[in-house]
Amino acid sequence: MGDLVDVTTLAVALIGVGGTLGGTLGGALLSQRVTREQNQRADRERAEDRHDRAQEARRDLYARLNTTARAYRVAARDSVRAAERGETVEPAVLDTARDAWLEQYSSAQMALPKYVHEIVSILNRALGVGYSVVKQLPNSPDPDESYSRAKAWFSGPMSDGVYLLRVTLRHDLGVEVEPDFERTCTRILAALDGERRNLERLLSSEQARATPPA
């Protein structure tokens, strides 16, 4: 009888120890799983936070690009109109607008997606030609033709180029996705770049005629 009691006591003790160990092990595994899930959630939150901050920085950059491009075109266009009316043109206004654009363009080059960078680069070259148009107006051999050409440039191809910039930036941000974006982009870029090349040739020819031989 005593032996039976001892065996029963031992069995109960072993079951108790096993239950304790099992409970401890199960608790440890549960704790590890909870910790792992918490770490994964924290990683996701950090990734989302990085993404949100990157998006905010990109929106700010795009807003500055759009604003300075528009201001540059408007300053150049207004300079042409003022000069045509015989009004005094303050060169600092145009130069300030140009410098502001170039600063943003320089900052953006390493951050822009490839297709956005291509569009911004073409627009930058077109704006640069527009700047030359304004600066060469006083020495033009045919003022009427030069003023007419300048006004057509800034109200036509140059205006379309700035419009395309805005559309491109909004498209890239997902704010306003254009269904025919690629077709519109190709059409405007081709016209802008073609007109820019023609204008560069005309300016170069006029400059050569206006420069006295050595």
Side-chain angles (χ1 to χ4, degrees):
M1 184 66 178
D3 291 343
L4 179 59
V5 172
D6 291 341
V7 171
T8 302
T9 301
L10 178 60
V12 171
L14 290 173
I15 291 171
V17 171
T20 301
L21 291 174
T24 301
L25 181 59
L29 291 174
L30 178 60
S31 177
Q32 289 177 358
R33 186 174 68 180
V34 170
T35 300
R36 184 169 60 252
E37 290 175 352
Q38 289 174 338
N39 290 338
Q40 290 173 346
R41 183 166 59 251
D43 288 342
R44 288 195 299 272
E45 290 174 352
R46 283 192 292 268
E48 290 172 0
D49 183 59
R50 286 194 299 270
H51 177 267
D52 290 344
R53 283 188 280 112
Q55 278 290 93
E56 184 64 28
R58 188 165 58 153
R59 281 193 294 268
D60 289 345
L61 173 62
Y62 283 8
R64 292 193 300 270
L65 278 173
N66 181 60
T67 298
T68 53
R70 289 178 58 194
Y72 190 2
R73 185 191 75 86
V74 169
R77 182 202 63 190
D78 290 351
S79 294
V80 172
R81 292 176 176 177
E84 186 180 31
R85 292 192 297 264
E87 299 174 359
T88 301
V89 177
E90 178 53 58
V93 175
L94 177 57
D95 289 343
T96 298
R98 174 177 178 263
D99 291 344
W101 159 258
L102 290 175
E103 180 180 355
Q104 294 305 321
Y105 173 67
S106 178
S107 299
Q109 289 189 73
M110 300 303 295
L112 297 175
K114 182 179 179 180
Y115 82 98
V116 178
H117 182 266
E118 290 174 352
I119 292 171
V120 174
S121 295
I122 291 174
L123 179 63
N124 179 61
R125 289 194 291 271
L127 286 165
V129 171
Y131 182 83
S132 298
V133 166
V134 177
K135 293 300 183 180
Q136 285 188 208
L137 281 175
N139 301 318
S140 173
D142 187 346
D144 289 340
E145 170 62 24
S146 295
Y147 282 120
S148 177
R149 185 177 64 209
K151 288 186 294 184
W153 169 251
F154 288 112
S155 64
M158 198 69 262
S159 179
D160 290 343
V162 173
Y163 163 77
L164 178 61
L165 174 67
R166 184 174 72 252
V167 171
T168 300
L169 299 180
R170 290 174 64 83
H171 182 87
D172 188 60
L173 288 171
V175 174
E176 187 177 357
V177 178
E178 293 285 339
D180 294 328
F181 171 75
E182 290 187 8
R183 184 182 305 172
T184 300
C185 180
T186 300
R187 175 178 57 81
I188 294 178
L189 282 182
L192 177 62
D193 218 29
E195 291 292 336
R196 175 186 65 81
R197 294 174 189 277
N198 290 337
L199 191 51
E200 281 179 330
R201 284 193 290 268
L202 286 172
L203 291 175
S204 178
S205 175
E206 288 183 359
Q207 191 173 31
R209 294 201 304 271
T211 302

